[in-house]
Amino acid sequence: MSMVVEKQRVRLVFLGSAGVGKTALVQRFLGNTFDPRHRRTVEELHCLQCQTDSSQGWVEIMDTSGSYSFPAMRQLCIRHGDVFALVYSAEEPESFEEIKRLREQILAVKQDQPSTPMVVVANKADLAQDRLGSAQDMIAAMVQLDWGCSFLETSAKHNHNVLTLFKELLLQVQLPSMLRSTLDRRRDTFPRESQPRPIGSKSHSCAIS
């Protein structure tokens, strides 16, 4: 009897203003590298293949532009997303205003899915130590209590909470059974923070024994 191969796929979408560090977080996760130079991202889709002896699945990471020229493109990106990382800069609290707008757009596009998972990310926490405090606490409280979303402070530069962020994103979405068991059984399915790897092609694979 031939073994049925089950194909499963989830998409993580990173949204936020330009320059808040969306690409830096993705690159730190995929290859444990950090480039301090800001390079404008148009749109990049990274694919991680996870497979066992009997099934295979894909985790897609969509790294989006900080400024969409065409609203229809952003709506399409949101429509195909399963879980969203809404990234702003802790160094520039005003960038959180874009997070509010993005959340409203997600709720509008996903109105048939009111419980769409989102994680709000205060990146560049290493550059904002003097500014973190009551204002940040107020944002965290609003996000968690009023929005019902998770909140994380990260630093792509210092690799702080990057792996935690991706684990949270995968746990927020209702993972297909294979991907959920993969995450539970093999924490090294994704690169560990202490194991740097060069970024190769945008398609990555990991075999699960």
Side-chain angles (χ1 to χ4, degrees):
M1 181 182 298
S2 62
M3 184 172 294
V4 176
V5 176
E6 183 183 7
K7 293 185 178 179
Q8 304 176 82
R9 186 180 303 263
V10 293
R11 178 171 291 189
L12 287 54
V13 179
F14 278 68
L15 294 169
S17 301
V20 297
K22 300 183 298 297
T23 298
L25 288 168
V26 172
Q27 289 183 345
R28 175 62 82 178
F29 173 69
L30 291 177
N32 206 7
T33 62
F34 176 77
D35 186 348
R37 296 170 296 178
H38 174 251
R39 294 178 179 177
R40 182 180 178 183
T41 301
V42 177
E43 190 172 272
E44 293 184 350
L45 180 65
H46 304 268
C47 299
L48 295 167
Q49 183 184 26
C50 301
Q51 62 184 35
T52 66
D53 293 336
S54 60
S55 61
Q56 65 180 11
W58 291 88
V59 174
E60 299 177 338
I61 304 171
M62 175 65 75
D63 182 13
T64 67
S65 168
S67 56
Y68 274 90
S69 300
F70 303 98
M73 289 179 61
R74 174 168 283 176
Q75 292 179 7
L76 184 64
C77 177
I78 292 174
R79 186 172 297 116
H80 291 291
D82 295 302
V83 58
F84 299 87
L86 304 183
V87 185
Y88 75 99
S89 171
E91 186 187 24
E92 301 173 358
E94 62 273 13
S95 61
F96 181 73
E97 294 302 314
E98 178 65 8
I99 299 305
K100 295 178 181 178
R101 290 188 287 268
L102 287 167
R103 175 178 174 269
E104 291 301 320
Q105 290 180 28
I106 292 171
L107 293 176
V109 174
K110 297 276 196 179
Q111 54 184 323
D112 58 334
Q113 303 174 36
S115 60
T116 298
M118 296 175 248
V119 177
V120 175
V121 185
N123 192 38
K124 301 187 180 182
D126 58 294
L127 299 177
Q129 292 304 314
D130 294 338
R131 302 187 187 186
L132 295 179
S134 58
Q136 193 78 340
D137 290 341
M138 289 178 61
I139 291 176
M142 182 185 72
V143 167
Q144 294 171 322
L145 299 178
D146 297 343
W147 293 2
C149 298
S150 295
F151 177 88
L152 276 175
E153 292 177 1
T154 63
S155 168
K157 180 178 181 180
H158 294 294
N159 201 12
H160 173 64
N161 272 346
V162 176
L163 187 57
T164 299
L165 166 61
F166 280 85
K167 287 180 180 179
E168 178 66 20
L169 289 168
L170 290 175
L171 291 172
Q172 283 285 328
V173 73
Q174 290 186 345
L175 288 175
S177 58
M178 185 277 297
L179 293 177
R180 184 171 58 250
S181 62
T182 291
L183 184 66
D184 291 339
R185 289 186 291 111
R186 287 285 299 272
R187 292 298 180 179
D188 60 347
T189 294
F190 303 108
R192 295 179 184 274
E193 294 178 349
S194 60
Q195 296 178 342
R197 295 188 308 162
I199 296 180
S201 62
K202 295 176 185 176
S203 179
H204 309 263
S205 64
C206 50
I208 308 303
S209 56

